[in-house]
Amino acid sequence: MENALRRFEFYDKLREPEKKLIRDNALKKELARGQIMIGGSSRCNGVPMVLKGSLRLFRVSDKGREVTLYRIREGEMCVIAAVCLRGDHDYDFSIEAEEDCSLLILTPDMFKTLFNASSAFKTYVFNMLAQKLIMSMETIEMLTFISIEERVIEYLKQNADKNGEIRTTHEKMAVDLGTSREVITRQLGRMAERDMLCVERGKIILKKVT
Amino acid sequence: MENALRRFEFYDKLREPEKKLIRDNALKKELARGQIMIGGSSRCNGVPMVLKGSLRLFRVSDKGREVTLYRIREGEMCVIAAVCLRGDHDYDFSIEAEEDCSLLILTPDMFKTLFNASSAFKTYVFNMLAQKLIMSMETIEMLTFISIEERVIEYLKQNADKNGEIRTTHEKMAVDLGTSREVITRQLGRMAERDMLCVERGKIILKKVT
């Protein structure tokens, strides 16, 4: 566990009592891929640190549509959980494991102790909040400035394997790109007509995308 | 100035030397409505605190389109400036005065001193970052889940005076709602056809909007 904890840039800067607090007292939790951690009937009562795997934070609309807000990767902490647990803010999000995950959960008290005792921890939390704020603002820009065709092309390029194949569903693309399944299906149809790609079951094959 | 500073929830919790640091050393700045503070050739070299008025933070796309990210109001500090000045993150935004503004600008050194000396200041910065993060995530949701018609109706309701009149331009609505002027003009046209409103020069008059 010590090695996994070293991925958190604050860890080596903590004093031994604070390191021990995390190692000995944080709750260990394993999640299987696809498992919902927060959302629906599951509630969060601590701040998750991702030792292995990745979490996806998302929101569900009244009509049941989903949007991915951001991901929490190895060496990252879910700072928005810290924010909500302090009770100053109320924000109802969902989190699922996008891969198999190993987590450590800090209780609100442990978070508070570390936040007050360590300036390295405080700086980490400040940076993590700042980073997610900037990422969110970049998402706003993308949704505002970039056409759905440009977004789909970017997504396909980023997710293609070396043969130019992307294993995904229209539903998943819609959630990641902040639009509806219908819009994705229509857009892929148009691109297929222009011979840019080929849509198969559970798979998209890129042909001419520049 | 003491009264204006009291609007910042951390101010009364500072010790006298830190209060004095802000009062005596922060740079005073007045901005007229519409003045650009950051963006284009103007750069920010401090963290603005809004004593009076309101600032609007926005981004401009390569093609010259604008999107409003959020506003910084009386008693608020531009935390994203603090983030960028630390040099850990790079984000190129613009800020304009939406009303006539009185500001105090903290230099990076003053910000650092306050951040290290006062836990009330640190908590304020943490909360301000968290609040802007949640607001940004709510904007992402709005852009993803809510149709342009619903967004236009909400905007008109929020900005109408007691006679149901809204003084605005299609351009301004587009920037605030994260879409293009053409989309707003088309949408208002459709709503006018359905007798929901009446579009005049520089003014929209609500008729039947529920």
Side-chain angles (χ1 to χ4, degrees):
Chain A
M1 180 158 65
E2 191 80 9
N3 273 342
L5 280 168
R6 288 240 166 80
R7 298 224 176 104
F8 291 81
E9 59 185 45
F10 62 84
Y11 187 73
D12 275 334
K13 296 173 194 151
L14 295 178
R15 285 169 309 172
E16 190 46 37
E18 285 121 31
K19 284 185 180 170
K20 195 170 150 54
L21 179 74
I22 298 179
R23 278 197 316 261
D24 297 353
N25 295 88
L27 185 75
K28 286 164 197 66
K29 193 172 177 116
E30 304 285 326
L31 287 182
R33 182 179 167 168
Q35 214 176 325
I36 297 290
M37 182 177 171
I38 302 182
S41 59
S42 317
R43 299 262 29 94
C44 173
N45 44 19
V47 182
M49 298 169 66
V50 180
L51 298 181
K52 196 174 85 55
S54 109
L55 298 173
R56 185 176 70 94
L57 201 135
F58 63 101
R59 285 272 286 179
V60 181
S61 80
D62 299 344
K63 290 171 188 154
R65 273 185 57 199
E66 249 184 44
V67 62
T68 297
L69 294 169
Y70 58 75
R71 293 177 165 82
I72 305 155
R73 304 183 195 277
E74 288 176 8
E76 293 188 348
M77 183 177 282
C78 179
V79 276
I80 196 79
V83 167
C84 295
L85 284 169
R86 288 170 58 99
D88 300 322
H89 301 275
D90 198 14
Y91 189 66
D92 224 4
F93 53 83
S94 304
I95 295 184
E96 73 159 8
E98 218 170 23
E99 304 159 41
D100 293 347
C101 285
S102 298
L103 308 175
L104 278 183
I105 317 278
L106 303 177
T107 64
D109 277 349
M110 287 172 67
F111 183 86
K112 204 172 161 186
T113 304
L114 291 166
F115 193 79
N116 290 331
S118 159
S119 74
F121 187 83
K122 223 156 359 203
T123 300
Y124 174 85
V125 170
F126 179 85
N127 280 336
M128 195 54 60
L129 273 172
Q131 190 199 97
K132 298 307 182 198
L133 177 57
I134 289 176
M135 282 176 56
S136 297
M137 297 200 291
E138 285 171 346
T139 303
I140 293 172
E141 272 177 70
M142 183 199 71
L143 289 170
T144 310
F145 294 147
I146 305 179
S147 72
I148 188 67
E149 171 153 330
E150 290 169 295
R151 278 188 262 160
V152 164
I153 290 175
E154 192 53 35
Y155 181 93
L156 293 174
K157 281 187 186 167
Q158 280 191 4
N159 291 280
D161 65 17
K162 61 180 192 302
N163 303 315
E165 292 187 13
I166 304 101
R167 301 204 164 265
T168 188
T169 64
H170 298 192
E171 185 66 36
K172 186 171 183 309
M173 284 182 69
V175 167
D176 281 350
L177 293 175
T179 185
S180 67
R181 195 180 45 71
E182 294 72 18
V183 167
I184 293 293
T185 302
R186 207 182 312 135
Q187 182 59 45
L188 290 174
R190 279 197 212 110
M191 291 165 79
E193 272 169 29
R194 278 147 59 201
D195 214 24
M196 295 167 78
L197 48 79
C198 185
V199 181
E200 292 185 6
R201 194 177 170 78
K203 188 161 79 172
I204 296 163
I205 302 157
L206 287 183
K207 290 160 88 176
K208 292 175 297 191
V209 173
T210 46
Chain B
M1 179 158 67
E2 192 81 9
N3 273 342
L5 280 169
R6 286 241 166 78
R7 298 221 177 105
F8 291 81
E9 62 186 44
F10 62 84
Y11 187 75
D12 275 335
K13 294 174 196 151
L14 295 178
R15 284 168 310 169
E16 189 48 35
E18 285 122 31
K19 285 186 180 169
K20 196 169 150 50
L21 178 73
I22 298 179
R23 278 197 316 263
D24 298 353
N25 295 90
L27 184 75
K28 286 165 196 66
K29 193 173 176 120
E30 304 286 325
L31 286 181
R33 182 177 167 172
Q35 215 175 324
I36 298 289
M37 183 176 171
I38 303 183
S41 58
S42 319
R43 298 259 33 91
C44 175
N45 42 20
V47 182
M49 298 170 65
V50 180
L51 299 180
K52 197 174 83 54
S54 106
L55 298 173
R56 183 176 72 91
L57 200 136
F58 63 102
R59 285 271 286 181
V60 182
S61 78
D62 299 343
K63 291 171 187 153
R65 273 184 58 200
E66 248 185 45
V67 61
T68 297
L69 294 168
Y70 57 76
R71 293 178 165 79
I72 305 157
R73 304 184 195 277
E74 288 176 7
E76 292 188 349
M77 184 178 281
C78 178
V79 277
I80 196 79
V83 167
C84 294
L85 285 169
R86 288 170 56 99
D88 299 324
H89 301 276
D90 197 14
Y91 188 64
D92 223 5
F93 51 83
S94 304
I95 296 185
E96 72 159 8
E98 218 170 23
E99 304 159 41
D100 293 346
C101 284
S102 298
L103 308 175
L104 280 183
I105 318 276
L106 303 177
T107 63
D109 276 350
M110 289 172 65
F111 183 86
K112 204 171 162 188
T113 303
L114 292 165
F115 193 80
N116 290 331
S118 160
S119 76
F121 186 83
K122 222 156 358 205
T123 300
Y124 173 85
V125 170
F126 179 84
N127 279 336
M128 195 55 59
L129 273 173
Q131 193 199 93
K132 299 307 181 197
L133 177 58
I134 290 177
M135 283 176 56
S136 296
M137 297 200 292
E138 284 170 347
T139 303
I140 293 172
E141 271 177 72
M142 182 197 73
L143 290 170
T144 310
F145 294 148
I146 306 179
S147 72
I148 188 68
E149 171 153 330
E150 290 169 296
R151 279 188 261 161
V152 165
I153 290 175
E154 190 55 35
Y155 180 94
L156 294 174
K157 281 188 185 166
Q158 281 191 2
N159 289 281
D161 65 18
K162 61 181 192 303
N163 303 315
E165 291 185 14
I166 304 101
R167 300 202 166 264
T168 188
T169 63
H170 298 192
E171 184 65 37
K172 187 173 181 308
M173 285 182 68
V175 168
D176 281 351
L177 293 175
T179 184
S180 67
R181 194 180 46 73
E182 294 72 20
V183 167
I184 292 293
T185 302
R186 208 182 312 137
Q187 182 60 44
L188 290 173
R190 278 196 213 111
M191 292 165 77
E193 272 170 27
R194 278 147 60 199
D195 215 25
M196 295 167 77
L197 49 80
C198 185
V199 180
E200 292 185 7
R201 193 175 170 78
K203 189 161 81 173
I204 296 162
I205 303 157
L206 286 183
K207 292 160 88 175
K208 293 175 298 194
V209 174
T210 44

